Amino acid sequence: MAVAGQEVELQISAKEEVSNEATSSTNTMSIQTPPTKHYQWWLRVAIYIFFLLAGQATATLLGGLYYDKGGNSKWMATFVQSAGFPILIPILFFVPPSTKTATSPPPAFTLGLLYLFFGLLLTGDNLMYSYGLLYLPVSTYSLLCATQLAFNALFSFLFNSQKFTALIINSLILLTVSASLVAVNSDSDNSSNIPKGKYIIGFFCTLGASAGYALYLSLLQLSFEKVIKSDNFRVVLEMQIYPSMVAAAGSVVGLFASGEWDGLTMEMNGYEKGSVSYVMTLLWTAIAWQICSVGILGLIFEVSSLFTNVISTLGLPIVPVLAVIFFGDKMDGVKAIALVVAVWGSVSYVYQHYLDDSKLKAKKRLIVSANDGCENA
């Protein structure tokens, strides 16, 4: 009996130690494994991933088409990135508010401040993306957007308790090398008659936009966890609709203040594909960005901002390849190496997620084993 008692004590001790470690690991990992990964959860995640990848690729290509065929308004390109929010409003009527929240909802004033802050952040971020897409080839722009993952690692460390592992550091280095290769390859890209000064502006605007959007994603995750504290899809839609409304309003102000509004009629009439194609390009760009945004917010809500960035970066090879096919962008040796290095960096993140997930599952199995041992004793 003494031996059995010692075994039980050891099992209980092991159970407590593993439980504490698992809890600590769950709190510090930004890619968290839900308690029950049943098929409905996986179905939701799969749908969000599809929305993100399809919307991202479509919107980027249509944005490149807008500039390639005669569009020149930075504020219009900024506006369409957030102007598609009305298509999401009818969905709100089919998604009732959650009635199973353990905590009371945040005050309306707090939510209003969140919507205003995220909307203004999106306005500035979308404008920088518009400058990047205007002054860079689509393939180069897409490669630079991969640095968003590196910036997100930094902000996840600061705001979401992300730990730096060897694989994450390796990924940061690889993504930095990829961006550096794109920078030194500017002479090749300038074959598309982009002035050197504008190329540099596009380069740094795209980097700034990637950093800004990484900050946006990390703060969104923090808001879901610390402020909103709801498990209902309605909050995902509201967090997309209301900030988009603010961002669209800010873009309209910029459109009028910059004087670009006066030239839109001339721009539409001079569009290479015709005025109908001009309107449809902008319309479907707006819709595609909203689809992408719903996918992003859904993945942040279901998993984490870091996992969202990993999935977004996994779509990296899609746009450069399509840009070569549809826009005739050059895919020389340096840019191809940059693409491979960027994908390698993304795979490092994915593998880290796999290791974290496997480690947490192993700890859960130890806890179950310790429980069974206590019951048998």
Side-chain angles (χ1 to χ4, degrees):
M1 290 296 294
V3 173
Q6 290 175 355
E7 290 179 351
V8 170
E9 289 178 0
L10 288 173
Q11 288 171 338
I12 293 175
S13 177
K15 172 188 170 184
E16 291 176 348
E17 181 179 352
V18 169
S19 178
N20 290 336
E21 290 179 359
T23 302
S24 175
S25 175
T26 303
N27 290 335
T28 56
M29 288 192 315
S30 67
I31 301 177
Q32 297 177 359
T33 304
T36 307
K37 283 192 173 181
H38 47 72
Y39 72 95
Q40 291 181 343
W41 183 86
W42 279 111
L43 178 62
R44 289 196 303 271
V45 170
I47 291 173
Y48 291 144
I49 289 174
F50 174 78
F51 282 175
L52 193 164
L53 295 179
Q56 175 180 263
T58 303
T60 303
L61 289 172
L62 287 175
L65 180 67
Y66 166 73
Y67 286 129
D68 190 62
K69 300 303 178 182
N72 194 47
S73 173
K74 278 82 69 178
W75 280 107
M76 175 55 73
T78 302
F79 173 72
V80 296
Q81 292 182 54
S82 53
F85 69 87
I87 67 173
L88 302 178
I89 294 177
I91 304 178
L92 285 176
F93 296 101
F94 299 97
V95 183
S98 176
T99 58
K100 298 180 180 180
T101 55
T103 58
S104 58
F109 179 73
T110 302
L111 284 177
L113 288 179
L114 277 180
Y115 297 150
L116 179 63
F117 171 76
F118 284 128
L120 294 177
L121 181 59
L122 280 176
T123 302
D125 197 64
N126 291 342
L127 181 61
M128 287 191 289
Y129 273 131
S130 298
Y131 271 97
L133 200 53
L134 174 61
Y135 293 147
L136 296 176
V138 175
S139 56
T140 303
Y141 166 86
S142 300
L143 285 172
L144 286 175
C145 286
T147 58
Q148 178 179 311
L149 191 60
F151 287 118
N152 190 246
L154 174 62
F155 293 127
S156 294
F157 173 77
L158 295 175
F159 301 114
N160 309 124
S161 301
Q162 168 67 30
K163 287 186 176 181
F164 282 112
T165 64
L167 285 171
I168 291 179
I169 294 173
N170 176 65
S171 182
L172 297 182
I173 294 173
L174 291 173
L175 290 170
T176 302
V177 169
S178 176
S180 301
L181 287 172
V182 171
V184 301
N185 196 42
S186 61
D187 289 338
S188 173
D189 274 342
N190 278 341
S191 60
S192 56
N193 298 321
I194 302 172
K196 187 76 171 180
K198 290 185 176 180
Y199 185 96
I200 294 174
I201 292 174
F203 180 88
F204 283 106
C205 280
T206 305
L207 284 181
S210 298
Y213 202 70
L215 176 63
Y216 167 75
L217 293 179
S218 292
L219 292 179
L220 263 183
Q221 181 181 340
L222 187 66
S223 299
F224 279 134
E225 294 173 351
K226 303 297 184 182
V227 180
I228 298 174
K229 298 178 182 179
S230 175
D231 59 352
N232 189 264
F233 181 68
R234 185 184 182 91
V235 302
V236 176
L237 288 175
E238 290 174 346
M239 189 55 79
Q240 173 60 23
I241 291 172
Y242 297 124
S244 292
M245 190 183 302
V246 174
S251 301
V252 170
V253 172
L255 193 61
F256 280 98
S258 65
E260 291 183 358
W261 174 266
D262 298 330
L264 290 182
T265 302
M266 183 182 300
E267 180 179 285
M268 182 174 64
N269 293 332
Y271 196 66
E272 192 174 312
K273 294 289 185 178
S275 57
V276 175
S277 178
Y278 177 85
V279 174
M280 294 303 293
T281 298
L282 293 176
L283 175 64
W284 283 106
T285 302
I287 293 173
W289 277 125
Q290 289 304 305
I291 293 173
C292 175
S293 296
V294 170
I296 287 172
L297 288 170
L299 287 177
I300 292 175
F301 181 76
E302 295 286 353
V303 192
S304 75
S305 65
L306 184 56
F307 180 80
T308 305
N309 255 326
V310 168
I311 296 300
S312 177
T313 311
L314 281 179
L316 174 70
I318 300 174
V319 176
V321 172
L322 293 177
V324 171
I325 296 172
F326 292 110
F327 299 120
D329 284 4
K330 290 186 62 177
M331 181 59 75
D332 55 20
V334 175
K335 192 180 290 186
I337 293 173
L339 175 61
V340 172
V341 170
V343 172
W344 183 9
S346 303
V347 170
S348 292
Y349 255 120
V350 174
Y351 187 60
Q352 181 63 58
H353 167 52
Y354 168 77
L355 292 179
D356 291 340
D357 191 55
S358 300
K359 183 178 179 181
L360 193 57
K361 286 180 180 178
K363 288 179 178 178
K364 287 182 177 180
R365 284 195 295 268
L366 285 175
I367 292 175
V368 172
S369 176
N371 280 330
D372 292 341
C374 290
E375 291 175 358
N376 293 333

